[in-house]
Amino acid sequence: MKKVNVCVVGTGYVGLVTGACLAHVGHRVVCVDSDIRKIDALKAGKIPIYEPGLEKVVAGAVRRKKLFFCKSIAEGMFHQGHTAQVAFIAVGTPPRSDGSADLSFIENVAREIAHSLREYTVVVEKSTVPVETGEWIVKTVNRFNKKNIPFDVASNPEFLREGSAVSDFLKPDRVVVGTNSNRAAQLLKELYAPFKCPILLTDIKSSELIKHASNSFLAAKISFINAVSALCERTGANVEDVAKGMGLDKRIGASFLRAGIGFGGFCFPKDLEAFYWISRQKGYDFSMLRAVKEVNEDQKLWVVRRAEEELWNLGGKTVAMLGLAFKPDTDDMRFAPSIDIAKALIERGARVKAYDPVSMANAKSLMPGVQLCKNAYECLADADCLAIITEWPQFAKLDYKKVAGLMRHAFILDGRNLLSPKDMRDLGFTYRSVGRP
Ligand code: NAD
């Protein structure tokens, strides 16, 4: 295997996992971040995010002197005598108020990489970006590449999921490489040679579109089954059986057909918006994407609607939310449905208590007015309603007999279909779940 010198700019969920996993398979990787606290923590052996398995991979690669951390792009591009052959841009592309992606972080990094070029380098967009961003990166690097060092730009979208990021990166379904240069394609093929998966080579624009189209399609699957669940609730059908029956058809597939209280996180909501925005910008009204968003926004209010159906006015009532992260096995609360749900409950006068196994630190600033509790039982004491927001497996293992005794009103809204309706009703709970009788 040929070893490649890599610089990864941005050590968030994507950059840190990318850097650590490439170092794990033998490449020499320097991870750079402008957040000095993150780099100091990483140098001290601490992982700034919660991601199962990441600590071990980072520690192993650091020990074998394959993985390094530094604070400046210049140092990352030329580190201890090694010049980066591949420079990944893995910084955030957050949504602007009009739904478009804010690409200023990408531009800043492209400019700094251009200043630091010493020999031929492939500049890779790893961040999720709208189609044609590659062209802007080429222009930016050209403008600031005063010594005319040869370079190419490639798109290499990332498909990892938070919560299983390390195994997703090490065992991907496919790697997509978009580039118009044979030299860049060759180098990136060498970089990904240790990964036993198909490598799809495309032009840059197609690769950029693959990422937005994939995330929007997965979001559409979730909204579709959520819309079906609404019909199940009105007819007495069971959405789990419907999803099973659909998913057994290989053309449909079983994944992303779990009804619940909507999707969130740093990817689906913002990528859906950005994809819609860029489509309109190019003169096409991709209205299907609007419907996917509308169903999701409405679905997030499922808890509020069902709570009012059972408790009438929510003023003076206490709702205990179990789970705050947008999904289990992550501490990421960016665009988590829990935030909108808590806000809507508080607006209706409810008192909201909450507990999450790993997101409490992130929740502090994002959930004003919510009482954060030390554990699930403290959260449930004297509650009128238990709302399951994130399907952490430990919530399925609570002592529900004890829970029934602790609550003022034995009422469960299972927003993730985590529990058995029969078991809960046998214990005396009033129990509602999404699309199940
Ligand atoms: P993040 O916010 O966790 O990390 C971004 C990092 O970049 C931060 O640590 C920030 O300090 C750093 N940064 C910003 N400007 C910088 C600069 N000029 N120099 C050095 N560092 C800088 O974001 P993330 O979740 O890792 O997402 C990064 C990109 O990857 C986004 O475009 C996202 O859409 C995409 N993506 C994310 C996921 C996911 O599951 N989180 C999956 C696939 C793709």
Side-chain angles (χ1 to χ4, degrees), residues 96-111:
R96 291 194 294 209
S97 55
D98 62 357
S100 63
D102 178 352
L103 301 174
S104 56
F105 299 94
I106 302 270
E107 182 184 349
N108 291 342
V109 173
R111 194 177 53 238

Side-chain angles (χ1 to χ4, degrees), residues 9-15 32-35 38 73 90-93 105 108-109 112 126-128 158-162 211 266-267 270-271 332 334:
V9 184
T11 53
Y13 289 89
V14 166
V32 182
D33 206 289
S34 51
D35 183 339
K38 263 189 193 172
I73 293 178
V91 294
T93 46
F105 299 94
N108 291 342
V109 173
E112 281 196 56
K126 189 60 146 167
S127 305
T128 302
E158 183 48 58
F159 300 100
L160 64 76
R161 296 160 297 176
E162 287 174 25
K211 177 63 190 177
F266 192 51
C267 289
K270 86 169 170 56
D271 294 350
D332 197 351
R334 293 177 289 184

Side-chain angles (χ1 to χ4, degrees), residues 155-157 176-178 202-211:
S155 154
N156 170 222
V176 175
V177 171
T202 70
D203 61 278
I204 299 183
K205 291 181 197 175
S206 304
S207 170
E208 290 168 334
L209 272 174
I210 286 170
K211 177 63 190 177

Side-chain angles (χ1 to χ4, degrees), residues 381-416:
D382 293 327
D384 296 285
C385 170
L386 153 58
I388 298 181
I389 307 296
T390 316
E391 64 276 35
W392 282 97
Q394 50 268 57
F395 295 152
K397 293 183 193 130
L398 294 177
D399 176 350
Y400 278 94
K401 213 170 167 181
K402 178 173 164 184
V403 170
L406 282 173
M407 292 179 72
R408 191 155 48 198
H409 189 132
F411 172 41
I412 297 178
L413 285 175
D414 186 349
R416 298 294 179 188

Side-chain angles (χ1 to χ4, degrees), residues 1 4 47 59 75 107 110 130 156 170 186 212 251 263 266 289 325 341 362 373 381 396 401 403:
M1 169 198 141
V4 180
I47 306 292
E75 190 188 347
E107 182 184 349
N156 170 222
L170 291 173
Q186 193 49 39
H212 264 168
R251 295 169 303 174
F263 56 79
F266 192 51
L289 300 180
I341 295 168
N362 288 340
C373 301
K401 213 170 167 181
V403 170

